[in-house]
Amino acid sequence: MIEVQGLRKSYGGREVLRLDRWQLPSAASCCVTGPSGSGKSTLLEILCALRPADAGTVHVGGTAVHGLARRASDRWRGRTVGVVTQSPHLLDILSVEENVALAAHMAAASVDRRRVGTLLERLGIAHLARRRTRGLSQGERQRVVLARALLCGPSVVVADEPTSHLDDEACEALCTLLAGCCAEAGATLVVATHDRRILPRFQHRLQLARVEAI
Ligand SMILES: Nc1ncnc2c1ncn2[C@@H]1O[C@H](COP(=O)(O)OP(=O)(O)OP(=O)(O)O)[C@@H](O)[C@H]1O
């Protein structure tokens, strides 16, 4: 269950996110939509404790995320949340499979190499496993980040525009894997997107508006 109340976020005195009340049941899937600048990425970053809110409470799976100190939030995120950021952050001196395995190191868990291979296979990038990530296309990088997010079986997956650089076939494969992995693990899925191709795949939708339009 995700539960948000009285959430407010400003940058430089300008309020960019206002969400009075939002609930999402455990194991549900939800897309977050809205015009550019309506605070979708900001909300996702707050949900996974990458960014603090100015006011309000955020509970994710029973954890009061708004109250976590820095180190505790890193530990909580590593164990609980699979994060797919808008611009894929990869360590380009490492190979694809090493980048995926980083998730296990972050969660202080051992690396399940078979699962790494299976995820790469299901995302159509198994042939890239030993290649360094430098030089991969945006779409390939996005799929590496997704494999990394799913490796440790998170109970919540948060993805920001995960299909923005993908063609229809890769988009379909990624969505099927994302939905399949979340369903298998009973994980809650929250995806910020402008991509109309994927909207019908979600059970719930949170529509944000620019704060000045509220
Ligand atoms: N670190 C920051 N410092 C200052 N302003 C920021 C910062 N991050 C975001 N903003 C501003 O906050 C507003 C909301 O940004 P956010 O990225 O959350 O919107 P979004 O709905 O995800 O947009 P998009 O659909 O374009 O990705 C925007 O006006 C943006 O310029």
Side-chain angles (χ1 to χ4, degrees), residues 30-36 38-41 43-44 84 86 142 158-165 171 174-175 178 190-202 204-208:
C30 179
C31 59
V32 182
T33 57
S36 188
S38 57
K40 301 181 295 297
S41 301
L43 173 63
L44 263 50
V84 182
Q86 199 164 10
Q142 231 161 2
V158 169
D160 199 352
E161 297 283 1
T163 57
S164 54
H165 296 284
C171 173
L174 180 138
C175 287
L178 194 52
V190 182
V191 174
T193 189
H194 286 287
D195 189 343
R196 291 181 182 279
R197 295 175 296 179
I198 69 172
L199 297 183
R201 289 180 165 267
F202 297 91
H204 301 263
R205 180 169 178 175
L206 172 65
Q207 170 82 35
L208 296 181

Side-chain angles (χ1 to χ4, degrees), residues 75-150:
R75 215 175 315 126
W76 169 78
R77 191 181 320 105
R79 290 188 189 143
T80 316
V81 190
V83 184
V84 182
T85 50
Q86 199 164 10
S87 18
H89 294 300
L90 296 169
L91 288 182
D92 284 339
I93 55 160
L94 300 180
S95 68
V96 165
E97 59 187 2
E98 286 166 341
N99 266 284
V100 174
L102 279 179
H105 299 301
M106 298 294 284
S110 55
V111 180
D112 182 343
R113 301 219 167 268
R114 234 173 103 183
R115 184 163 164 80
V116 173
T118 306
L119 287 168
L120 296 182
E121 191 80 45
R122 286 170 73 179
L123 281 163
I125 49 171
H127 61 291
L128 301 173
R130 298 215 158 74
R131 247 183 71 180
R132 293 212 177 156
T133 52
R134 188 195 315 274
L136 294 186
S137 75
Q138 275 293 99
E140 289 164 345
R141 295 174 76 83
Q142 231 161 2
R143 284 176 277 173
V144 177
V145 170
L146 179 62
R148 187 171 66 192
L150 294 173

